[in-house]
Amino acid sequence: MKKLFAIALLLPFAVGAQNNDKACEVFSKVNTVLQSRHYKPKPVDDSLSVYVFDKVMENLDDNRVLFLKDEYEQLARHRHSIDDYIRNKDCAFFSDFISIYKKALERSKGYIEEVGREPLPFNTKDTIYYSKNTFPFHTKAEKIKSFLRKKITYDILEDIAQQSKNKDSLKVYVEVLGKASRAKVLDSYLCKVNALLNPSEGFDNSIYNQFYSVFCSYFDPHSTYFNYSEKASFVSSISTENYSLGLYVSQNDKEQIIVEEIVPGGPAYKADKIDKGDQIIKLAANNTEYTVSCASMETISNIVNSDTYRTVVLTLRKKDGSVYSVSLEKKVMKAEDHSVYSFVLGDKNPVGYIKVPSFYTAFDSDNNMGCADDVAKEVVKLKKENIKGLIIDLQYNGGGSMDEVIRMAGMFINFGPVAVVTDKDMDYNVIKDFNRGMVFNGPIVVLVNGFSASASEFFAGVMQDYNRGIIVGNTTVGKATMQTILPLEDENPTDFVKVTIDKFYRITGHSSQYIGIVPDVELPTFFDKMLPRESGMPTAIKNDSIPGLNLRFSKMPQEPIKKAAELSKIRIASDAGFMLVSSVNDRINAIYNNAKKPLNVTFDNVYDDVHSMDQIWKDITTASEKEQA
C-alpha cells in the first residue's frame, strides 16, 4: 500500500512536469517565430525577463490584493531568469506560478465565502484608499480578508446607490435593499474567482497562455499568441462572412448582456423563442457552461464568433422574469454589423455618406467581394443621386485587410504610389495604384477619431498626401504596422502567433507609426486625451522616416483644403456644442489627474462618490443628443 500511495503522490508531479515540457516547447517555438519573422526582433535577455515577469504579475494581481508578500518573493526569484529558461528549454518555473496562483485564488475564494457568512454593517469606520502608485503586497493573509470585506461592502453600497438619484429615499431602505445587493455582489465575486480557477482551456494552460501572450507583447503591442479558438475568433472579426448565431447583443446600464437584434433567417430567428430585449444569463458550448455575469468578454466573444463553438446553448431571461434555454447551431452568415452602408445627406446640395466600420475581406467566399468592392457599389448608388461631395466615415474603424484598403485608396486617386512597405531587412516595396481614373472625382471628407487605426490610417494618409480629401476628427491611434498569423507547426496546427512583419510609410517618406494621422480639422471629442493610442504603449515601435525618399506623384491643389480647414476651425471655435465638449473634458481631466481622497465606507460617502460624475454625464448626454438631432 505504501508503494501505491507513493506512486499516487508522484503522478501529479509527473503530469505537471510533462505539461511544463510541452509548454516549454511551445514557448521556444513562439520565440523562434518572433526572432525569424518579426519586423524588429529583440534579444532574449534580462530586460525581456523583467518585462514578462512584471506584466504577468500585473495581469494576475493588478491591485495587489491576491498574493502575499512572501508569495511574491518566491515568484520574484524568476524575475531575471526567464530568458535563461527559454534558451535552456527549462520551464520548471511554471510550476511555481501555477501552484502559488491557485493557492492564492483558493484563499481568496475562502475569504469571500467567510465574508458572505458574516454580518456586514453598512456604516463602518473602514476606509478605502486610492493611489496612482502601486500598493505594497500584504504581509498577512488577514489583511487580504479585511480588504475584501471593505471592497464587498463598498460594492453593495454602490449597487444600492445606483438604484436611484434620490438619496434620502434610498437611505431609508438601505438595510432592505442591501439584502438583494449583498446576494448579487457576493455571487458575482464567487463567480469570477471560480471562472479564474476553472478556465475553459484548463488552469495550467491559462498560465502558459499568459506567458506566451506577454512574451509576444514585449516585441510590440500587436504581436500575440493565439490558440485555435482565439485565432478563429480573430479571423472571424475581419471576415465578410462567418459562423453566426444570428443575433446581436449589447450591454445595458446594469452591465447585463441583452439581445439587441435578431437577424431574419438566422439560427436565433428560426428557433422562434428569442425576443429582442431578452437577457442572456448563461452560455454552454463544448461541454462547458459559462455564467455571463462573470465570464470575461473575451470568453463570450470567442464563443459567439469562433467556429470552434458550432453549437451553443443559451439560457435567457425574458422581461417577465421567465427563464428558458435554447440550443442554436451556427451557420455561415454575412457579417452585416461591419458591412459598408451609405445614405444621402441634404436636398439642395446632396452629399453622400459612406460608413466603413472595418476593412473586412472575403476569406471564405467564392466571389471575393470585400470592403473595397462594397464601397465601390455604394459610390455608384450615391452618384445616381447627383451628390456634390462624399463623406467617408472611418471613425471607430480599427483596420483589417491591407489588400482591401490598398484597393480602396486606389479608387479615389488617379494613379500612383499609395505607400511604402518595409520588412525586417529594410527592403523597400512601393505599393502603387496602376488603375487610372477614380470612382468619384468630387470633394471628399474623411472622418477619423482616436479609435481609427491601421488600415484606416493608411487610407487617411493617402487622401491627405494627395490633397484628395480633408481629414476631420481626432488624431488616430498611430498603428502603421502589419501583422500575419503564423502556425507554430504546419501539420495539425493548434498554436499560432500573430506577428508584426512589416511597417508602412506614407509616400512622403514619413510614417504615422506612433504619432498617428493628425487631422486637417480637429473636432473636440469627449475623453479624447484618455484613449489608448500607440504613443502610450511601452513596447510600441517608434516613429521614423525614410531619408531621401523621392517618389513621383501628382497632388491635387492644396489651397481648397486649406481654405475649407480654416473656415471649419472658425465655426468650431464659436460652436456652443463643441465649447461644451471642451469644458466637460477639462473637468474630466481634472478629476482624472488629481489624486482621489480616501473614502469612508458609509452609505452617504459611497452615494456621493457614485453620483459625483452625474452632472458631467448629463452634459455628455445633452451634447450627444444635440449631435444626433
Side-chain angles (χ1 to χ4, degrees), residues 366-560:
D366 294 331
N367 59 20
N368 290 322
M369 295 291 283
C371 170
D373 289 308
D374 287 346
V375 168
K377 287 192 294 184
E378 298 303 317
V379 172
V380 170
K381 286 196 303 185
L382 292 171
K383 285 169 70 174
K384 291 179 181 178
E385 301 291 334
N386 296 316
I387 59 171
K388 308 302 181 186
L390 181 63
I391 299 171
I392 299 175
D393 190 347
L394 302 180
Q395 296 178 103
Y396 302 99
N397 183 326
S401 167
M402 293 307 297
D403 288 337
E404 294 293 335
V405 73
I406 289 167
R407 292 174 61 208
M408 183 169 145
M411 287 159 36
F412 294 99
I413 64 171
N414 192 12
F415 72 96
V418 292
V420 179
V421 178
T422 65
D423 58 18
K424 64 176 297 186
D425 298 321
M426 296 308 292
D427 289 330
Y428 298 123
N429 180 25
V430 179
I431 307 298
K432 295 182 179 180
D433 167 42
F434 293 101
N435 298 315
R436 289 183 177 272
M438 296 177 265
V439 296
F440 178 75
N441 58 10
I444 293 175
V445 170
V446 180
L447 297 179
V448 295
N449 65 4
F451 295 95
S452 304
S454 193
S456 295
E457 296 174 284
F458 182 109
F459 182 83
V462 173
M463 297 298 101
Q464 200 171 49
D465 292 337
Y466 274 90
N467 294 329
R468 183 63 188 88
I470 184 168
I471 313 301
V472 177
N474 310 105
T475 300
T476 57
V477 170
K479 178 181 178 295
T481 57
M482 288 183 279
Q483 290 73 38
T484 190
I485 300 175
L486 300 171
L488 298 188
E489 294 180 353
D490 292 330
E491 295 182 8
N492 301 318
T494 57
D495 302 280
F496 305 83
V497 174
K498 178 162 71 78
V499 56
T500 296
I501 57 170
D502 293 313
K503 181 178 179 182
F504 60 85
Y505 294 80
R506 296 167 67 162
I507 53 178
T508 58
H510 300 295
S511 175
S512 59
Q513 172 61 27
Y514 201 77
I515 60 175
I517 300 289
V518 179
D520 302 303
V521 177
E522 184 164 359
L523 302 180
T525 305
F526 293 118
F527 303 105
D528 182 59
K529 300 299 181 187
M530 297 182 182
L531 297 182
R533 292 182 169 89
E534 197 89 355
S535 57
M537 301 176 185
T539 61
I541 294 171
K542 298 299 186 285
N543 180 265
D544 65 353
S545 300
I546 301 174
L549 184 70
N550 187 23
L551 296 180
R552 296 178 62 185
F553 59 97
S554 180
K555 292 183 180 182
M556 295 187 73
Q558 190 180 26
E559 194 58 36

Side-chain angles (χ1 to χ4, degrees), residues 35-280:
Q35 296 296 342
S36 62
R37 298 297 303 275
H38 194 273
Y39 172 77
K40 205 166 188 177
K42 297 179 180 179
V44 178
D45 55 16
D46 281 359
S47 295
L48 177 142
S49 291
V50 170
Y51 172 85
V52 171
F53 176 85
D54 289 350
K55 194 68 177 175
V56 168
M57 291 300 292
E58 179 185 327
N59 291 346
L60 297 180
D61 187 12
D62 59 338
N63 291 314
R64 297 197 170 186
V65 293
L66 188 64
F67 294 118
L68 290 168
K69 183 181 178 183
D70 66 328
E71 292 170 337
Y72 170 79
E73 288 172 350
Q74 288 180 62
L75 296 176
R77 295 184 296 113
H78 304 295
R79 190 167 182 257
H80 292 88
S81 303
I82 294 172
D83 58 320
D84 300 320
Y85 300 150
I86 294 170
R87 277 195 298 270
N88 299 328
K89 297 186 179 180
D90 175 13
C91 291
F93 78 100
F94 277 134
S95 296
D96 287 345
F97 280 87
I98 291 166
S99 61
I100 292 174
Y101 183 50
K102 181 175 283 188
K103 175 186 173 184
L105 286 173
E106 288 171 343
R107 178 177 58 229
S108 183
K109 179 181 177 180
Y111 286 155
I112 293 166
E113 291 171 336
E114 287 179 23
V115 170
R117 292 191 292 267
E118 298 169 358
L120 286 177
F122 294 144
N123 282 286
T124 71
K125 294 181 180 179
D126 287 335
T127 302
I128 287 183
Y129 295 89
Y130 301 90
S131 174
K132 289 184 178 292
N133 300 318
T134 308
F135 284 107
F137 287 98
H138 292 298
T139 56
K140 296 180 180 178
E142 292 78 15
K143 292 286 187 180
I144 293 178
K145 182 181 177 182
S146 175
F147 174 81
L148 282 170
R149 183 188 293 107
K150 285 192 292 186
K151 187 65 172 67
I152 288 170
T153 304
Y154 176 91
D155 288 347
I156 293 169
L157 292 173
E158 180 185 50
D159 187 68
I160 297 170
Q162 289 172 340
Q163 295 178 35
S164 172
K165 292 188 178 180
N166 189 324
K167 182 179 181 180
D168 292 334
S169 65
L170 283 178
K171 197 170 182 178
V172 174
Y173 297 103
V174 166
E175 294 297 331
V176 175
L177 295 171
K179 290 180 181 179
S181 293
R182 174 185 173 124
K184 174 182 172 183
V185 169
L186 285 167
D187 182 63
S188 176
Y189 269 71
L190 286 172
C191 193
K192 287 175 182 176
V193 75
N194 282 327
L196 291 171
L197 281 165
N198 302 285
S200 58
E201 68 269 38
F203 191 83
D204 291 12
N205 286 335
S206 72
I207 298 295
Y208 301 148
N209 293 352
Q210 280 272 0
F211 275 90
Y212 303 154
S213 296
V214 169
F215 178 85
C216 292
S217 73
Y218 177 71
F219 290 78
D220 78 287
H222 309 290
S223 292
T224 191
Y225 162 83
F226 284 149
N227 59 33
Y228 181 84
S229 179
E230 290 165 340
K231 180 249 187 184
S233 181
F234 174 79
V235 171
S236 172
S237 71
I238 60 171
S239 176
T240 188
E241 292 182 341
N242 51 54
Y243 280 93
S244 173
L245 297 173
L247 54 80
Y248 299 123
V249 299
S250 63
Q251 194 172 48
N252 65 14
D253 55 2
K254 295 180 181 178
E255 297 187 354
Q256 298 168 332
I257 303 298
I258 303 297
V259 176
E260 182 72 22
E261 185 180 346
I262 299 168
V263 182
Y269 178 87
K270 291 180 178 178
D272 200 25
K273 289 184 178 181
I274 304 173
D275 294 314
K276 183 176 178 179
D278 288 359
Q279 178 192 351
I280 300 177

